[in-house]
Amino acid sequence: MSKKQLKITVIIGIILAAAMLPLSVSANTNQEKLIAKEHSGNKIKLSTYDENQQFARFIYDSGLTFTYPDAVRGLYVTGHSAGGSRFDKLISLINNSDLNTMVIDIKDDHGNLTFKPDKDSPYYDIAKSYIKNPRKMLEVLEENEIYPIARIVVFKDSVLAKKRPDLSFTENGKVWANGRNESFVSPFQKEVWEYNVEIAKMAVELGFQDIQFDYVRFPEGFEKRDKELDYTLGDYEESDSNDIKKRVQAVTDFVSYAKDELHTYGVDVSVDIFGYAATIEETPGIGQNFSKIASNVDVISSMIYPSHWTPYFGIDFPDKEPYKLVAAYSKLENKVLGALEHSPISRPWIQDFEAPWLYSGATQQYGVKEVEAQIRALNENNIHEFLLWNAGNMYTEGVDYTPLN
């Protein structure tokens, strides 16, 4: 069997008679694909069984080979950069440093795919051709031993909201948008879950090794407008929980669903989450409970940019104190994750950009010193993975990404 064919690994465990499915392995490629498709669409929730009792696990082989690095040290890449001239510059930056990973937009902040799928794909009409040939792009990453992560923006989705207002939040008959003219679709809607997870499966089939879901939440400040907007609660209508608990349950259930669906492909599932969610039991509006989300993923990626914190941890101006902020957060996160029965890998987002909106005068510059300070704070607290964020993908050069070595 060639690398480019689908491999099926059958792990025989305890067969539940009521859920028994025929297990057969054939040398015929089409038949193998059919079997894999049947099982990947199986609605049985794998999480309801003990891992040792899961009777089958099918691993998808895209034909590309990537090795998980000693520790993921990555940077964010937009669809424009991945499909443009900046891609080669980012490859060079990684090859000439201790970086080893790219997080690439596959579904962007507007709700568009960043590449064109087949014309018969249900996602063809939301696709942009930023990345002309995603398979070739991944082959370049394979050649350069760069680990690929697919970023999929979930509930912030102006494209789907306008196309399907019934899946969104409306106000006076129109799709609601926030102050930045961004619209969201509802985490209460399971059709939205399926929509995004199917995109994730496309990314896996292209060759991505890790699916990173972003904007896994309700709009910011939702608790202040939840009574003003029109939307359906779906299956959560009959819940006796209060509104905050319903939102938390919907977000957590999506993460659990995504993990179960993608488990059959043998890839890691990660979720981006606000760093401050680790400091409270659960967020009142956006529906994020740090511990519950962390318990349902392989990787948790807290956004801990110093610029995004108000005075916190006894630090009056966190943007000016990147080391202190990250060190204080890391200690707290270690405590929260340490209390979980099964804790995920911690892979925080850190800051490689300036925040001029915080200053009336000169802006705190983020260069080698500031980026290294954040990484050092993580490493000193036994957190060795991280991702760099710069919206324009203009990253600081000359940084020592392993400062304790």
Side-chain angles (χ1 to χ4, degrees):
M1 187 182 299
S2 70
K3 283 179 64 181
K4 294 187 178 180
Q5 292 176 315
L6 182 67
K7 291 180 182 176
I8 300 179
T9 302
V10 180
I11 302 174
I12 304 298
I14 295 177
I15 308 293
L16 300 179
M20 184 180 293
L21 292 171
L23 300 179
S24 61
V25 180
S26 167
N28 180 278
T29 303
N30 291 330
Q31 189 173 354
E32 287 181 344
K33 289 181 178 178
L34 178 60
I35 294 171
K37 183 177 181 181
E38 288 174 352
H39 285 278
S40 67
N42 183 11
K43 298 304 180 184
I44 297 172
K45 282 195 140 189
L46 297 178
S47 61
T48 60
Y49 305 122
D50 182 89
E51 287 183 1
N52 293 326
Q53 295 179 336
Q54 291 172 8
F55 57 86
R57 178 170 168 83
F58 296 86
I59 309 301
Y60 187 86
D61 181 3
S62 68
L64 299 176
T65 300
F66 293 97
T67 301
Y68 196 94
D70 62 307
V72 166
R73 295 180 292 274
L75 46 78
Y76 165 62
V77 182
T78 65
H80 290 281
S81 291
S85 60
R86 190 174 299 281
F87 185 63
D88 289 338
K89 295 177 182 178
L90 295 174
I91 292 281
S92 179
L93 173 62
I94 291 174
N95 285 343
N96 288 288
S97 71
D98 284 323
L99 294 173
N100 53 37
T101 299
M102 281 189 180
V103 180
I104 300 173
D105 275 348
I106 288 301
K107 178 171 176 263
D108 67 18
D109 289 59
H110 303 290
N112 296 118
L113 285 189
T114 57
F115 68 96
K116 284 285 188 181
D118 293 337
K119 289 186 177 181
D120 60 352
S121 168
Y123 301 98
Y124 186 80
D125 63 342
I126 68 159
K128 302 292 184 181
S129 56
Y130 302 140
I131 304 173
K132 295 294 191 296
N133 190 331
R135 178 67 178 196
K136 183 177 180 181
M137 175 195 71
L138 284 162
E139 289 171 354
V140 171
L141 296 185
E142 179 188 39
E143 180 182 348
N144 286 274
E145 299 182 351
I146 296 173
Y147 192 71
I149 299 175
R151 177 176 179 259
I152 295 174
V153 176
V154 183
F155 297 115
K156 186 173 80 166
D157 192 331
S158 298
V159 171
L160 182 59
K162 291 174 182 177
K163 183 178 180 181
R164 292 284 306 277
D166 59 306
L167 299 178
S168 184
F169 306 102
T170 60
E171 187 174 32
N172 299 321
K174 296 182 179 180
V175 174
W176 173 83
N178 63 18
R180 296 182 293 275
N181 201 33
E182 301 164 335
S183 295
F184 283 66
V185 286
S186 174
F188 290 126
Q189 295 277 6
K190 292 185 178 178
E191 187 176 347
V192 176
W193 301 5
E194 296 167 356
Y195 177 88
N196 283 279
V197 169
E198 290 305 310
I199 290 174
K201 291 177 182 178
M202 291 170 56
V204 174
E205 290 164 5
L206 283 171
F208 283 94
Q209 303 295 293
D210 182 311
I211 300 298
Q212 184 176 73
F213 293 110
D214 200 357
Y215 284 87
V216 183
R217 60 177 178 82
F218 287 79
E220 290 176 72
F222 191 76
E223 73 277 16
K224 300 176 183 178
R225 57 177 61 91
D226 62 333
K227 303 301 182 185
E228 302 171 2
L229 300 177
D230 295 316
Y231 56 95
T232 177
L233 289 171
D235 291 349
Y236 300 89
E237 186 75 48
E238 304 302 321
S239 172
D240 294 331
S241 300
N242 63 33
D243 293 339
I244 293 175
K245 296 292 185 182
K246 286 178 182 177
R247 290 192 286 270
V248 167
Q249 193 62 52
V251 169
T252 303
D253 285 348
F254 163 73
V255 175
S256 176
Y257 166 80
K259 176 72 179 298
D260 285 351
E261 288 289 304
L262 294 169
H263 172 91
T264 60
Y265 283 80
V267 296
D268 284 342
V269 173
S270 53
V271 165
D272 296 336
I273 189 169
F274 279 130
Y276 85 85
T279 71
I280 55 180
E281 179 181 355
E282 51 199 15
T283 56
I286 63 175
Q288 290 186 337
N289 179 303
F290 187 93
S291 294
K292 289 181 177 179
I293 291 176
S295 295
N296 284 284
V297 293
D298 301 297
V299 179
I300 192 77
S301 289
S302 297
M303 296 172 283
I304 58 173
Y305 319 120
S307 62
H308 283 40
W309 295 82
T310 55
Y312 226 91
F313 301 114
I315 304 170
D316 291 334
F317 205 142
D319 191 57
K320 293 182 178 180
E321 301 280 359
Y323 175 85
K324 288 185 179 180
L325 185 282
V326 173
Y329 173 84
S330 298
K331 289 179 173 63
L332 172 64
E333 185 188 83
N334 283 340
K335 183 178 180 180
V336 174
L337 292 181
L340 301 181
E341 183 178 357
H342 300 291
S343 61
I345 293 171
S346 174
R347 186 191 295 160
W349 283 101
I350 61 174
Q351 180 171 335
D352 192 357
F353 59 87
E354 281 77 47
W357 60 88
L358 296 176
Y359 300 85
S360 58
T363 298
Q364 169 79 17
Q365 297 298 296
Y366 268 66
V368 171
K369 178 182 176 182
E370 290 72 20
V371 174
E372 287 183 359
Q374 295 172 83
I375 299 169
R376 184 178 298 106
L378 291 174
N379 291 171
E380 288 175 353
N381 286 280
N382 203 34
I383 299 174
H384 300 287
E385 300 204 355
F386 62 84
L387 302 170
L388 299 166
W389 180 271
N390 181 291
N393 302 164
M394 300 287 290
Y395 296 99
T396 301
E397 296 187 6
V399 173
D400 181 356
Y401 295 107
T402 54
L404 298 190
N405 290 353

